[in-house]
């Protein structure tokens, strides 16, 4: 087969051109063949045809292409030519990357690292490939796909689609979901600088992540029956509806607007809110408000001959308990005013997961309860899960066995947007790089298991040190299972036990360190170039930082009579390793330098114990 061209339409847009250029680039890297991108089929030789559905006219593809949903794509071969098609621009990029990965063997490991085999030939698919991502929107949220740290090419390569980072036209175009500040944005839709002086009754000032900001009264402007009080000329509910209409005018392609509570446990509270919460719960107050907003917005859109839009809000923190009651053993809405409008999406944002998958019999009771009860009042759901300890990014987070169950379970539950949050503000946490690889591939329908995907990543990313990483992971996993079997509580999360000394015996941590040190020796002996050896050693240092951090963090648990000199030795071992690995953050918004400058371990123990006890009270 003598491939000559990648054929695209003469009026191809930026997205199609980008997909063609990426296909050209990786075909050249893998096979050495330099294809020409053109709108003309070669007079002799073979070609790739790349385009939206209408651009693919050759062959009997109509039925298969018409069956594609969303960003689905199609790859097939006929007469030794290869056809890649999709209904959407983004799907066309995915078709190109599917061919690059499945048939050329390329692997996109991280934003900085990819595996590209050399000397392979261009492969004809023997059977058509038709694939649709499992979720309309999907993200494993780490720094490589999040806002200012994101990599636009990597977002496309990993088929990430979320509301946090907008793609340019070449990478798929504007998303159809939008919210001011993305999330936690009640106050953004009732600007304090506009209404604060004339209507101070709209606001309360609350504390969020060390900042003081206003939040609004979401009962203001509603009647007892949950309707908009038209007698009030100016109210919170009317203002929010008008502000959302401004967003829709600015972004007419929007399908979903996000309106979500401020982060944390604080909210607008007064006598009226307390009275209504006693009847409807905080979640019921939220539903009544959001129903009124989206109904008003869609009423006005219908009058203007425009399609309806949807509104998304959170079932999170103080509003996570569904507005339901039990009647004769059946879960029912408190009343009809708390039943979500057909155009209201509820996004579950349920904290502290990790040691068990979301559908495990051992999962936190409140999570299972929440999933069940919300079904009684709403029909359309998104899910925001957590795969990180915000308090200690580097602590071992034993959630690798849960990946597949979480993805398959969310699909079975009918979730259409699945966000799994890792450390969103850094790219440097080794565990999440591995889990992100598996999650992202499963999100768009990779046929392999999560275990196969994690092993593939480790083998390709750590080279001669791969087996040492697997050994360390097994050491931690076995220790945690043994601790659980012994009756100890083992959990992952911001208030989890996985950071504690009793779950991480000192001897076990030193075994983990030794495993990585054997990997370092293997890398040094592998005969790689100096640059590649240094790169692999840095990656292994990022892994070794996990047991070293736990040894330092829990020093006085292991050595209550230990000296300052001994603690300094443990501290130096960790921070020297972390600096070599170029680790930037040890926790959310907490730099490695801030951690290094903290008080001694003995003082931290007291503070950590208080936090853990507070967390246990919360979950019990």
């Amino acid at each position: 087969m003598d491939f000559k061209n990648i054929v695209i339409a003469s009026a191809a847009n930026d997205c199609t051109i980008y997909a063609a250029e990426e296909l050209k680039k990786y075909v050249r890297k893998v096979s050495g063949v330099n294809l020409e991108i053109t709108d003309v089929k070669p007079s002799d030789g073979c070609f790739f045809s790349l385009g939206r559905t209408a651009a693919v006219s050759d062959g009997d593809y109509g039925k298969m292409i018409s069956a594609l949903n969303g960003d689905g794509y199609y790859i097939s071969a006929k007469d030794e030519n290869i056809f890649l098609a999709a209904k959407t621009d983004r799907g066309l990029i995915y078709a190109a990357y599917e061919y690059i990965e499945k048939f050329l063997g390329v692997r996109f490991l991280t934003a900085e690292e990819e595996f590209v085999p050399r000397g392979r030939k261009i492969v004809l698919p023997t059977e058509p490939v038709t694939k649709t991502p499992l979720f309309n929107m999907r993200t494993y949220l780490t720094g490589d796909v999040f806002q200012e740290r994101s990599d636009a090419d990597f977002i496309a390569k990993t088929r990430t689609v979320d509301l946090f980072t907008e793609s340019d036209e070449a990478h798929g175009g504007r998303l159809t979901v939008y919210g001011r500040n993305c999330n936690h944005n009640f106050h953004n839709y009732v600007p304090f600088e506009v209404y604060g002086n004339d209507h101070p009754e709209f606001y309360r000032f609350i504390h969020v992540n060390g900042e003081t900001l206003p939040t609004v009264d979401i009962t203001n402007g509603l009647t007892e029956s949950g309707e908009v009080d038209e007698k009030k000329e100016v109210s919170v509910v009317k203002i929010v509806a008008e502000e959302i209409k401004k967003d829709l005018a600015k972004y007419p392609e929007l399908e979903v607007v996000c309106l979500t509570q401020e982060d944390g446990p604080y909210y607008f509270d007064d006598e009226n809110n307390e009275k209504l919460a006693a009847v409807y719960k905080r979640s019921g107050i939220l539903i009544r408000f959001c129903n009124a907003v989206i109904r008003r917005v869609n009423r006005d859109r219908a009058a203007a001959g425009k399609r309806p839009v949807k509104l998304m809000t959170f079932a999170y923190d103080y509003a996570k308990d569904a507005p339901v009651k039990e009647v004769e053993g059946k879960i029912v809405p408190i009343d009809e005013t708390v039943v979500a409008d057909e155009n209201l999406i509820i996004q579950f944002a349920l904290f502290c997961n990790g040691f068990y998958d979301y559908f495990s019999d051992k999962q936190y009771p409140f999570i299972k309860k929440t999933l069940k009860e919300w079904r009684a009042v709403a029909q359309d759901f998104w899910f925001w899960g957590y795969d990180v300890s915000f308090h200690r990014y580097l602590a071992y987070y034993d959630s690798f066995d849960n990946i597949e169950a979480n993805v398959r379970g969310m699909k079975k539950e009918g979730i259409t947007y699945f966000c799994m949050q890792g450390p969103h503000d850094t790219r440097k946490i080794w565990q999440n790089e591995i889990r992100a690889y598996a999650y992202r591939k499963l999100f768009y329908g990779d046929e392999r298991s999560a275990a196969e995907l994690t092993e593939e990543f480790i083998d390709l990313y750590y080279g001669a040190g791969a087996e040492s990483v697997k050994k360390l992971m097994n050491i931690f996993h076995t220790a945690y299972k043994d601790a659980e079997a012994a009756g100890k509580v083992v959990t992952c999360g911001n208030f989890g036990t996985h950071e504690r000394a009793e779950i991480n015996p000192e001897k076990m941590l030193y075994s983990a360190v030794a495993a990585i040190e054997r990997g370092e020796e293997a890398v040094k002996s592998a005969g790689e170039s100096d640059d590649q050896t240094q790169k692999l050693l840095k990656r292994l240092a990022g892994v070794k930082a996990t047991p070293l951090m736990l040894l330092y963090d829990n020093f006085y648990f292991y050595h209550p009579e230990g000296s300052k000199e001994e603690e300094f030795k443990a501290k130096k071992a960790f921070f020297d390793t972390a600096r070599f690995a170029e680790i930037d953050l040890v926790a959310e918004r907490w730099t490695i330098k801030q951690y290094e400058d903290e008080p001694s371990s003995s003082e931290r123990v007291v503070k950590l114990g208080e936090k853990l006890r507070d967390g246990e009270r919360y979950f019990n």
Side-chain angles (χ1 to χ4, degrees), residues 473-494:
M473 292 167 65
N474 187 59
I475 287 171
F476 273 98
H477 179 71
T478 301
Y480 290 178
K481 290 299 181 185
D482 288 347
E484 185 186 31
K488 295 180 180 179
V489 176
V490 184
T491 59
C492 295
N494 231 32

Side-chain angles (χ1 to χ4, degrees), residues 298-351:
N298 280 331
R299 179 203 69 184
D300 295 346
R301 288 178 67 80
K306 298 179 180 178
R307 58 174 173 77
V309 295
K310 293 191 174 187
L311 190 70
M312 184 279 286
T313 196
F314 279 161
Y316 166 73
D317 208 304
Y318 59 80
K320 70 180 182 299
D321 294 327
V324 297
K325 60 185 177 182
E326 187 172 331
V327 178
E328 297 180 352
K330 185 178 180 181
I331 302 299
V332 298
I334 290 172
D335 67 20
E336 289 305 310
T337 69
V338 298
V339 176
D341 184 85
E342 63 180 350
N343 290 305
L344 181 59
I345 302 168
I346 305 299
Q347 180 166 210
F348 298 123
L350 304 179
F351 206 69

Side-chain angles (χ1 to χ4, degrees), residues 273-499:
N273 272 262
E274 289 179 3
K275 180 185 72 174
L276 290 171
V279 177
Y280 299 115
K281 303 181 185 179
R282 290 299 314 182
S283 58
I285 295 175
L286 175 66
I287 296 301
R288 285 158 58 91
F289 175 73
C290 289
N291 278 347
V293 169
I294 195 58
R295 287 168 182 166
R296 190 175 187 86
V297 168
N298 280 331
R299 179 203 69 184
D300 295 346
R301 288 178 67 80
K306 298 179 180 178
R307 58 174 173 77
V309 295
K310 293 191 174 187
L311 190 70
M312 184 279 286
T313 196
F314 279 161
Y316 166 73
D317 208 304
Y318 59 80
K320 70 180 182 299
D321 294 327
V324 297
K325 60 185 177 182
E326 187 172 331
V327 178
E328 297 180 352
K330 185 178 180 181
I331 302 299
V332 298
I334 290 172
D335 67 20
E336 289 305 310
T337 69
V338 298
V339 176
D341 184 85
E342 63 180 350
N343 290 305
L344 181 59
I345 302 168
I346 305 299
Q347 180 166 210
F348 298 123
L350 304 179
F351 206 69
C352 284
N353 186 52
F355 196 65
Y356 306 115
D357 68 74
Y358 277 107
F359 304 95
S360 169
D361 291 338
K362 296 181 179 180
Q363 185 52 269
Y364 291 121
F366 85 83
I367 290 180
K368 293 188 289 184
K369 178 173 178 285
T370 299
L371 291 171
K372 177 182 177 181
E373 292 185 347
W374 273 97
R375 293 286 180 187
V377 295
Q379 302 299 318
D380 199 349
F381 298 101
W382 293 0
F383 197 96
W384 186 322
Y386 295 86
D387 197 39
V388 64
S389 170
F390 292 112
H391 180 253
R392 284 291 187 273
Y393 282 166
L394 286 168
Y396 191 76
Y397 204 87
D398 197 32
S399 66
F400 292 94
D401 287 350
N402 303 333
I403 298 171
E404 197 158 348
N406 283 333
V407 173
R408 307 302 181 202
M410 293 303 167
K411 179 64 178 176
K412 185 178 179 181
E413 286 287 314
I415 302 298
T416 56
Y417 169 38
F418 187 9
C419 168
M420 182 62 87
Q421 181 161 356
H424 63 283
D425 46 359
T426 178
R427 298 182 179 187
K428 298 292 187 177
I429 306 303
W430 68 275
Q431 302 169 66
N432 295 90
E433 290 178 325
I434 301 171
R435 289 195 289 267
Y437 184 76
Y439 266 110
R440 288 163 177 165
K441 283 189 168 294
L442 291 176
F443 282 162
Y444 64 84
D446 198 293
E447 297 84 2
R448 290 169 292 173
S449 69
E452 290 173 304
L453 292 167
T454 57
E455 184 163 11
E456 176 177 76
F457 180 94
I458 294 168
D459 287 341
L460 294 176
Y461 194 66
Y462 292 100
E467 292 305 315
S468 72
V469 176
K470 296 175 191 176
K471 177 65 174 176
L472 175 140
M473 292 167 65
N474 187 59
I475 287 171
F476 273 98
H477 179 71
T478 301
Y480 290 178
K481 290 299 181 185
D482 288 347
E484 185 186 31
K488 295 180 180 179
V489 176
V490 184
T491 59
C492 295
N494 231 32
F495 300 114
T497 62
H498 64 302
E499 303 167 9

Side-chain angles (χ1 to χ4, degrees), residues 80 136 158 163 190 196 250 252 305 330 388 399 417 488 501 539:
E80 296 191 334
N136 296 338
T158 56
L163 67 155
V190 191
K250 185 177 181 181
K330 185 178 180 181
V388 64
S399 66
Y417 169 38
K488 295 180 180 179
R539 292 174 186 170

Side-chain angles (χ1 to χ4, degrees), residues 56-157:
V56 182
S57 57
D58 293 1
D60 300 323
Y61 306 122
K63 289 184 179 179
M64 298 191 78
I65 294 174
S66 64
L68 294 176
N69 295 315
D71 294 329
Y73 46 91
Y74 174 79
I75 302 173
S76 188
K78 184 180 181 183
D79 300 330
E80 296 191 334
N81 301 310
I82 299 173
F83 295 85
L84 295 85
K87 286 185 174 179
T88 68
D89 290 339
R90 191 174 286 108
L92 194 58
I93 296 176
Y94 297 166
Y97 284 132
E98 180 75 12
Y99 183 84
I100 290 164
E101 291 189 285
K102 187 177 183 68
F103 297 102
L104 297 181
V106 174
R107 295 293 182 264
F108 304 116
L109 301 174
T110 70
E112 292 85 13
E113 183 68 20
E114 60 188 24
F115 169 75
V116 181
R118 307 289 179 176
R120 291 192 179 187
K121 295 181 178 180
I122 295 174
V123 177
L124 284 176
T126 56
E127 296 290 337
V129 176
T130 305
K131 188 174 288 187
T132 299
L134 297 186
F135 307 93
N136 296 338
M137 296 179 68
R138 58 230 166 241
T139 186
Y140 188 94
L141 199 58
T142 53
D144 48 19
V145 298
F146 184 72
Q147 294 183 348
E148 68 273 6
R149 292 177 176 81
S150 66
D151 181 291
D153 290 343
F154 195 62
I155 289 175
K157 289 170 180 173

Side-chain angles (χ1 to χ4, degrees), residues 568-618:
F568 177 77
K569 183 178 179 181
K571 180 176 183 176
K572 187 175 188 303
F574 168 65
F575 284 102
D576 285 354
T577 301
R579 275 191 288 268
F580 177 63
E582 299 178 354
I583 292 169
D584 50 357
L585 296 177
V586 72
E588 186 179 25
R589 295 184 297 275
W590 195 18
T591 68
I592 197 78
K593 182 64 168 63
Q594 288 172 315
Y595 180 40
E596 187 174 20
D597 292 342
E598 267 208 330
S600 69
S601 175
S602 57
E603 294 176 44
R604 291 200 312 275
V605 164
V606 175
K607 295 178 182 177
L608 178 58
E610 292 171 352
K611 290 180 180 179
L612 291 169
R613 286 194 297 275
D614 288 344
E616 288 169 349
R617 284 196 295 273
Y618 177 76

